[in-house]
Amino acid sequence: MRLSVLDRSPVRRDGGTARALRDTVAFAAAVEALGYHRFWVSAHHSVPGVAGSAPAVLAAAVAGATSRVRVRVGTGGVMLPNHRPLVVAEQFGVLEALHPGRIDMGLGRSVGFTGGVRAALGHGKDAADDFGAQVRELLGFFTGEHGYPGVHAYPAEGLRVPPFLLATGSGADLAAELGLPLVIAPVRGERALSEAVTRYRNGFRPSGWAREPYVVVSTAIAVADSAADARRLLVSEAWATVYSRSHGVFPPLAPPGEVLASPMTDRERRRLEETLDGQISGTPAEVEDRLGKLVSAAAADEVLVTTAAYDQSARLDSFAALAELGRLPVPA
């Protein structure tokens, strides 16, 4: 089983956005030494508490700080409705030219977080309706098959940067139609996950990008000596997520003890517990069992671990324990 990492560059209460980005680059080097297959960064525009707003730029920094042969680097993902496909192709063409054979291009269909962000980006909610056409246009700039005579996406044209589609909405069906690898999370439960993956595999059409279906399942995972310690590791980001739903702001990560002691409404506390229950945490044996069930439900080829935590040292210990469970080959 391949294990990979998605880092959203969350801001921690004792640091700012610049430190969050430097932490992402440092963490990439640390997990590379543990044998993880990919290291992806995300894209969030004008979201307080999240520093990762320019994934192609951050991916370049990560690729430069890691080995030329050990870990693949990419995005999870570029939200294509917010950008012109030509510009995205050019950005990833530059990345691939500088780091050949190491770059991935994860693509999502989300639009700006608020009306103000969407206005600043120049794209409304309906921009996501054209996601399929946007993906086709983007891929066409790599193959040279697009509808713009005389336009060349240098240096992307002729290169092959592996594209991955994030399964939001009809993403699984689109990935099958275009013959692309799929990234999917169990946000609606394992039954819905299994049904979406089954549709994807049954409908998959081999393409020049992928000859066979490939499924990456994405979730937060925490491993510790006790189940309580592992669950506690996930509290800071889980609370930030819950808080963002009711306040529209993703706050900086706070220490878990402080979060649990803070006043919450009954609804917020219930949502926090539900969020934690939907993630994977526990002792090595407990995580191995639950992760195995998730991988089986998703018929997954790879797991993309999304864990963030207030305590960076404890987070790295968790990733090391998970690598041991996955028996990842530690690079020489």
Side-chain angles (χ1 to χ4, degrees):
M1 174 57 59
R2 285 176 168 173
L3 292 177
S4 298
V5 180
L6 171 65
D7 191 308
R8 299 189 181 92
S9 303
V11 177
R12 290 167 178 81
R13 199 184 60 185
D14 57 348
T17 53
R19 179 172 173 181
L21 295 174
R22 292 194 295 268
D23 285 345
T24 290
V25 176
F27 194 67
V31 298
E32 177 188 34
L34 296 175
Y36 281 81
H37 182 57
R38 308 179 202 275
F39 191 95
W40 283 3
V41 297
S42 63
H44 296 275
H45 297 288
S46 189
V47 177
V50 180
S53 58
V57 178
L58 186 52
V62 169
T66 52
S67 166
R68 290 183 178 275
V69 297
R70 291 180 184 173
V71 66
R72 298 190 62 86
V73 177
T75 56
V78 170
M79 298 301 138
L80 199 51
N82 297 327
H83 309 283
R84 292 300 302 168
L86 172 62
V87 176
V88 176
E90 290 171 337
Q91 291 172 344
F92 280 85
V94 170
L95 283 168
E96 176 66 17
L98 293 174
H99 306 280
R102 293 189 60 212
I103 303 301
D104 299 322
M105 184 172 59
L107 305 169
R109 68 183 297 272
S110 296
V111 294
F113 188 57
T114 65
V117 174
R118 292 190 292 273
L121 291 169
H123 299 279
K125 284 185 177 181
D126 58 352
D129 297 339
D130 296 326
F131 182 55
Q134 293 158 359
V135 173
R136 290 181 178 89
E137 184 176 309
L138 171 61
L139 299 182
F141 283 119
F142 286 91
T143 64
E145 301 169 336
H146 53 76
Y148 301 92
V151 175
H152 301 276
Y154 299 131
E157 189 171 298
L159 299 179
R160 289 294 185 271
V161 178
F164 294 73
L165 283 198
L166 279 61
T168 55
S170 58
D173 301 315
L174 181 62
E177 178 186 345
L178 297 181
L180 302 179
L182 173 70
V183 182
I184 189 167
V187 291
R188 297 179 180 176
E190 291 187 5
R191 180 176 179 179
L193 173 74
S194 179
E195 291 173 351
V197 170
T198 297
R199 289 200 320 272
Y200 165 71
R201 290 189 177 277
N202 289 342
F204 185 86
R205 301 177 184 176
S207 71
W209 300 97
R211 302 307 302 170
E212 297 178 348
Y214 191 87
V215 176
V216 182
V217 65
S218 174
T219 189
I221 305 172
V223 188
D225 291 337
S226 72
D229 286 345
R231 188 177 177 90
R232 188 180 180 88
L233 192 65
L234 299 175
V235 163
S236 300
E237 188 180 37
W239 167 245
T241 300
V242 169
Y243 187 91
S244 71
R245 292 176 183 171
S246 55
H247 295 79
V249 174
F250 191 93
L253 301 186
E258 182 177 309
V259 169
L260 295 173
S262 65
M264 299 181 195
T265 65
D266 290 342
R267 184 179 185 184
E268 287 174 334
R269 193 167 296 279
R270 183 176 65 254
R271 282 183 169 179
L272 175 60
E273 293 302 317
E274 289 172 351
T275 300
L276 292 170
D277 289 342
Q279 299 171 340
I280 296 177
S281 65
T283 64
E286 291 169 337
V287 167
E288 186 171 30
D289 177 67
R290 189 168 173 191
L291 181 57
K293 292 177 180 176
L294 176 62
V295 168
S296 178
D301 301 287
E302 184 175 334
V303 176
L304 183 67
V305 187
T306 64
T307 310
Y310 178 80
D311 187 331
Q312 286 279 60
S313 177
R315 179 192 186 201
L316 184 58
D317 288 344
S318 174
F319 273 83
L322 181 60
E324 181 65 24
L325 283 181
R327 299 172 180 85
L328 300 184
V330 178

